[in-house]
Amino acid sequence: MKKHWIIAAAFGMAVSLPALAQDKVKLVDVVELSGAGATAGTNWKNGIDLAVADINAKGGILGKQIEIVHYDTQTNPGNTRAAVQRAIDEGTYAVLGPVFSGPIGASMQIAQRAEIAQLVGGEAAGLTKQGNQYLFRTSLSQTAAMPKIAKYLKDTVKAGSVAVVWVNNDFGKGGRDAIIPELEKAGIKLAVDVATEQGQADFAADAIKVKNSNADAIFVYLNEEESARFLRAAKQQGITKPMVGETTLLGAKVIELAGDAANGVKGHVGLSIDAPIPAFQEFGKKFQAKYNYVSDHNGMKGYMAVYMVKWATEKQKKFDKKGVADTLRGATIKTSDEPGILIETTIEKNGDLDRESFLAEVKDGKQVITATLPKINP
């Protein structure tokens, strides 16, 4: 059977400066470069390439240049499993990716059995509840984000009822299952529970359901393209109630695709180049200069993933695959020790993260940060 590997980019070092194999450390990125996850995966890949270029330009990790290889999973769980196994067979130092929670869940046991750290972009709460000591997030989980959103809906939006719109995949179901209990704790009624499909093109019927629910606010938890389509459908149906989301709904790609329909959207974001943190803004400028578009949170997550591997390696002062996971687990990476991490980040024992996050609103086609929220355990 023909395999659909696509090696999108292979070397993060100048080809005019050949080096012996022992002078390199190989990282394999297993990511969605086509299919439903292409937007998120491409941002993730580009963030990784930017970090590799930066690190190699400064001498690499412990004197070794990084060789980066990307394998396209086509957003297919089966392809993802095969790609992770191939990465390990080829001697990757750590596995980077994927981004979508479903393919992560389908592949994470392979890296676990090999005792190799896997740094992923997925946010589904269930991923880190399975006791996998080698899985590490690069973003806040839904478990960390949803209580902040429920509090925002109660205290700021003053919502007594909320319509929940979610995509029926591991990412969306995880978000739906995490937000509903938090709404209940906050005393907010679930007005209507609307499941949609990944890749769905027409959201008119869903928007009508939401409108007829007469909810005080709408919580939207869909992938990038679907978020934009729902916002346009909601605008066409004349829905004027507050539209609230978590990171994806306020992302650059959604704002680009939704146009005017994105204005007024509010919510919580874990990472944003618009946050009042100079390192975030500097990353955003470098990313846009290299790729000619604005990075979303996935670009930042990919960038940080490489620096997490670099920090752990330099912390243990040697190249030890198992040691990367052992060093990351339970650590706090400060920007004073590793500027590439961009923001102080605590890695919980189960691979979840704790760090500051932000409230944001889309105004005039731009994401504007309105507040900075503290770490859960400062």
Side-chain angles (χ1 to χ4, degrees), residues 123-126 137 140-147 170-175 178 221:
E123 300 178 6
R137 297 187 192 274
L140 298 179
S141 76
Q142 294 162 340
T143 303
M146 296 309 174
D170 291 80
F171 162 75
K173 189 173 187 306
Y221 205 66

Side-chain angles (χ1 to χ4, degrees), residues 30 77 80-82 84-85 88 95 97-98 100-120 124-137 170 350:
V30 175
T80 306
R81 286 181 57 84
V84 170
Q85 186 61 63
I88 292 168
V95 176
F100 271 28
S101 297
I104 293 169
S107 65
M108 55 194 269
Q109 296 84 2
I110 299 172
Q112 180 185 22
R113 285 196 295 269
E115 298 186 326
I116 290 178
Q118 183 174 7
L119 294 94
V120 300
L127 293 174
T128 47
K129 294 181 178 178
Q130 301 179 38
N132 186 335
Q133 294 292 294
Y134 294 86
L135 190 78
F136 299 93
R137 297 187 192 274
D170 291 80
N350 66 352

